[in-house]
Amino acid sequence: MEKKLELADLLYETGNWQQAVAEYRQVIERQHQLIDVHLQLGKILQLMGLEKEALEVYEKALLLSDNKGTQNHINGLIAVCRGESQKAIIAFNLAAALEPDKVVHWLALAQVHQGRENPIGTLSTLERVLSVNPDDVVALIHSYDALMAVGDIQLVACVFAVVIAFNLFTSNASALGGFSRTCREASVSGSSLKASCERANGGFNPTSIALNPYIGNIDGRFSWNDRNFIETCRNTTLKSGSNLSAECKKRDQNFVSTSINLDEHIANIDGNLRHE
């Protein structure tokens, strides 16, 4: 069973999500009490856009746990699957209050704040992560994004310097954009881009980014100099690996086809999709 789990982890790390899901399900069938395996399976299903299946996995995991912190964390994951971000914030806060040294609770909370386009909430949460582990890769990268959103250029420069010092960028990520060169299985769902992206150590990481804060619709055309395109665009798809395509509303209320190359400003930074 240990080898089966190692295989599932390897498939996940190399971006073979569907095979990883099958292997994790087999592990759970034989040892259903493994809560961490349930949570890992749920995470992959969410990244694949299979929220309903992820929800079922999380609900089963909730029944297995007798730890209050873990229970609240799983309740947060369930709320995220249901699109109930405020309930998720409450649940992750409760989990973090019970287990303040477990960064997984704070990181989950920060991701919800980021999804709600709340950079202040994101930053305050990530400060707790960095107080526990100042070198946390994920927290540093998310802090960079949040600081860019609030326009604190001085702190952005400091975080950027730390990231460079720890060699967190892949060889291709130092240039502007170009995520498609080191990512695979990319897809778009609504306004979110998902992919499996190469890390600096050679593994692959499932990752996603909300495009809505960076792209707008100006008279039926995508523009990097605006935001909230999803409010006036429909039928979003990804073509040729990096081109976001959709039908967007013009000022005369008619819809027209438009596209934009995400490689222009979306980069892979150590296995994480980021806007530059």
Side-chain angles (χ1 to χ4, degrees):
M1 184 54 60
E2 184 176 343
K3 290 185 177 179
K4 199 78 171 174
L5 186 56
E6 288 177 356
L7 174 60
D9 289 340
L10 178 61
L11 289 167
Y12 164 69
E13 290 172 0
T14 55
N16 296 298
W17 296 354
Q18 290 186 337
Q19 291 176 270
V21 166
E23 294 296 331
Y24 281 126
R25 289 195 187 279
Q26 289 186 31
V27 172
I28 289 173
E29 285 179 7
R30 298 181 185 182
Q31 296 187 13
H32 72 280
Q33 76 280 6
L34 298 176
I35 296 175
D36 287 344
V37 179
H38 280 81
L39 299 184
Q40 183 74 341
L41 174 58
K43 174 184 176 180
I44 299 174
L45 291 169
Q46 274 187 281
L47 289 168
M48 294 173 67
L50 302 174
E51 280 80 8
K52 184 177 180 180
E53 292 184 37
L55 183 59
E56 293 175 355
V57 172
Y58 289 144
E59 288 175 339
K60 290 178 181 177
L62 184 60
L63 296 176
L64 297 173
S65 178
D66 57 3
N67 177 279
K68 291 294 185 183
T70 301
Q71 289 173 354
N72 280 301
H73 187 93
I74 296 174
N75 278 326
L77 296 174
I78 289 172
V80 170
C81 283
R82 291 174 173 166
E84 299 172 338
S85 59
Q86 188 56 44
K87 288 185 178 179
I89 288 173
I90 293 171
F92 289 134
N93 266 315
L94 288 171
L98 290 168
E99 299 173 326
D101 291 335
K102 282 195 174 183
V103 298
V104 64
H105 302 320
W106 296 110
L107 287 173
L109 179 59
Q111 288 179 337
V112 177
H113 282 305
Q114 192 171 43
R116 288 164 62 99
E117 299 180 18
N118 177 9
I120 302 301
T122 302
L123 283 171
S124 64
T125 304
L126 292 174
E127 284 177 2
R128 300 299 298 268
V129 177
L130 295 172
S131 69
V132 176
N133 180 11
D135 302 333
D136 189 283
V137 175
V138 177
L140 285 168
I141 293 174
H142 283 304
S143 293
Y144 176 91
D145 289 346
L147 288 166
M148 286 290 289
V150 299
D152 196 327
I153 303 302
Q154 185 175 1
L155 279 177
V156 166
C158 291
V159 173
F160 185 83
V162 172
V163 172
I164 290 293
F166 280 91
N167 296 315
L168 301 183
F169 287 98
T170 64
S171 59
N172 291 322
S174 58
L176 193 68
F179 82 94
S180 67
R181 294 194 296 268
T182 54
C183 297
R184 62 193 189 188
E185 299 180 359
S187 64
V188 167
S189 176
S191 61
S192 294
L193 172 66
K194 299 179 181 180
S196 180
C197 295
E198 188 175 5
R199 290 171 169 167
N201 64 11
F204 280 80
N205 179 55
T207 178
S208 64
I209 185 173
L211 301 173
N212 217 34
Y214 312 112
I215 301 175
N217 169 25
I218 298 180
D219 196 28
R221 295 176 63 88
F222 283 135
S223 172
W224 287 110
N225 300 317
D226 206 340
R227 57 188 296 160
N228 296 331
F229 76 91
I230 200 63
E231 294 181 0
T232 53
C233 296
R234 65 190 184 189
N235 300 329
T236 54
T237 58
L238 190 68
K239 296 181 179 180
S240 302
S242 64
N243 289 320
L244 174 66
S245 299
E247 296 175 348
C248 293
K249 187 182 294 186
K250 298 181 66 177
R251 294 189 182 94
D252 62 10
Q253 303 304 303
N254 290 318
F255 281 86
V256 295
S257 297
T258 186
S259 65
I260 194 169
N261 188 355
L262 298 180
D263 268 340
E264 293 173 1
H265 287 285
I266 302 300
N268 168 23
I269 300 178
D270 194 34
N272 292 275
L273 291 171
R274 292 291 176 263
H275 172 265
E276 290 189 329

